[in-house]
Amino acid sequence: MTTFLLNLRRWIVLRSERNLTRRFGTQALDVPLAMLVGTLAALVAASLHTLVSLLEKFSSWMRNSASPWLFVIFTLMPFIGVVCSYLFQRFFGGKRYAKSLSPLILSLHRGQTRIPFSEVFTHVISSAISVGCGGSTGLEAPSVLTGAAVGSNTASFFGIDRRRRLLLTGCGGAAAIAAIFQSPVGGILFAVEVLLPEFSVAALVPLLISSAVAMVVSRSLFPHEQVLYVVNPPWRTDAIPYYFLCGVLCAAVGVFVIRSVYKVTALMKKYLQSRWRKLFVGGIVLTLILALFPVLRGQGYGFIAQLYSGELSTIGESAPVLNSIPLMLRLLIIIAVAIALKAITAVLTVESGGDGGIFAPTMFVGAFVGFAFARLVNLSGVAELQEANFVVVGICGVFSAVLRAPLTGIFLIADVTASYILLVPLMIVSSVSWFIARLFEPYSIYNKALAESRLLLPDRDHTILQRLSVRVCIEREFVALDAGQPAISLREFGSDQEIFPVLDSDGRLTGIVRPDKLLPVIFDNKLNNSLLIFDIMERPCGEVSIDSDLVEAMNNLERFKLDHLPVRGNDGEFIGFVNRNSIFRLYRTLIRDQY
């Protein structure tokens, strides 16, 4: 059966793709494939949310049951979800199962777009178990990873080249966001700001169509569902200074979220090195925190809606252990816990063995930050702020600070909350938060570890060159010299070679003879009769390995003021030179051939 399907693909799919490409150009299939990717990504996202909804209804039934045993099981559900999710990942996810967007971002920046087919369904089931059982994470990162896998495997099935496969992978991620939030603009901007390493206007059409199709499919399946829907009162001009202050506060909280996530992750790796110890200790700690503060369970969108609508008494009842204290003090504690611990419980969920992302926790924290800021100003009597509006802009501010995607934050939050009336306050808070957060944390929560490991560079030109090793532009044709050779022998070479390597008996580089050293040898008979190559050679500097990337090569060329850089093989033998002009020609070709 497998052989039959492969032959069918070879004779029908690939042949049709080649004929269409030959007749209409290489971009003939981009729009229909983007539509297909958008449809599939939306269906997968719908399946994920359906599974989570069923598990949450089951958990709610146990919580409201009169049986104490069922309530105990409900309390233990986060731990059960973490264990089941981990076991599923272990048996079906493979050795390189990624639960963060960081590996995907790195792969896309390096042009590596082949994603295993198993990731089309593994993230769906694993994250559904984690979140549906009460795990304190979001479904957006698993959905984006699944959408990217859909795009990559669709491109592979149709025999699409690597460059266009990169675009379809981004289309899958954009479609996933559009389907979850029913926000095609947010999906496009997320792909452009976070996923795709380069972007051109020609790539906009496939991104548009995949996001639009995903939203249509999502709205057809869930016509009345949207993550959040609020009706905001018009913003007032006298509140503009407070929007700036809110942006500063959101930046501080965003930096706290990034650092707390990495700090807790490092502590778990240090003290819970055993996989099973991390599973049980982390899972039990997570379960205890969620039992004390149920406000931290799940994605938290329900609490955001309650916060916006002013249902503070409902939020106050979300921590039964605090029922004996006054409501206002209880609310103060719950808000502080929500801001301080949501990101930490998200890390505990994922690092213990669960699956999910930081997307929803970031929005959750932002909502509580915006509400707390507005409520404190109102209580102080300095001004009277519209608390509902600050809930929305708080989401945008912390989102922009943590993910470093300000445009995505503005238009995604405006779409999700139907708050385009707040576009100016959203722009103020997002830009202020993004700018100030960068001063203290230069990288987003996804890129921080990659940048600190020198795996991902912020400069676009460096990112392009980092994908390629020096082996792609090595000049391997050269005339080698020996250190004991008379310098006069250089006259015998009729080569146009600009630089000569001096090698030992093992083929290792011992020196370099440059053009400015050749003139005395060629024109002065007295010198060239007495000089050896050893006398005019220079010590080699800036040598790079054959596996070094072109960023390292360019850095060495600039550092040592060179035009030619020696390259050594894995065994240390000299292989050839990499030329500054060759790198520039290759870079111009890459820019010209970009989609």
Side-chain angles (χ1 to χ4, degrees), residues 35-110:
M35 295 176 66
L36 177 61
V37 169
T39 302
L40 295 176
L43 291 175
V44 171
S47 302
L48 173 58
H49 282 266
T50 300
L51 289 174
V52 171
S53 179
L54 291 174
L55 286 171
E56 287 179 341
K57 288 179 180 178
F58 179 67
S59 298
S60 179
W61 171 76
M62 287 192 297
R63 180 188 60 188
N64 297 324
S65 173
S67 172
W69 293 107
L70 288 178
F71 185 79
V72 171
I73 295 175
F74 165 77
T75 305
L76 295 175
M77 281 291 285
F79 178 71
I80 296 172
V82 166
V83 173
C84 293
S85 179
Y86 169 71
L87 293 176
F88 181 83
Q89 295 166 30
R90 182 169 183 179
F91 289 108
F92 299 99
K95 296 181 178 179
R96 296 185 177 181
Y97 187 83
K99 293 183 280 189
S100 168
L101 291 184
S102 296
L104 174 63
I105 293 172
L106 179 61
S107 297
L108 292 178
H109 275 74
R110 291 184 170 181

Side-chain angles (χ1 to χ4, degrees), residues 497-514:
Q497 191 171 321
E498 297 181 0
I499 188 169
F500 292 87
V502 182
L503 308 182
D504 61 15
S505 57
D506 296 325
R508 299 177 183 273
L509 186 68
T510 60
I512 294 291
V513 177
R514 300 190 181 279

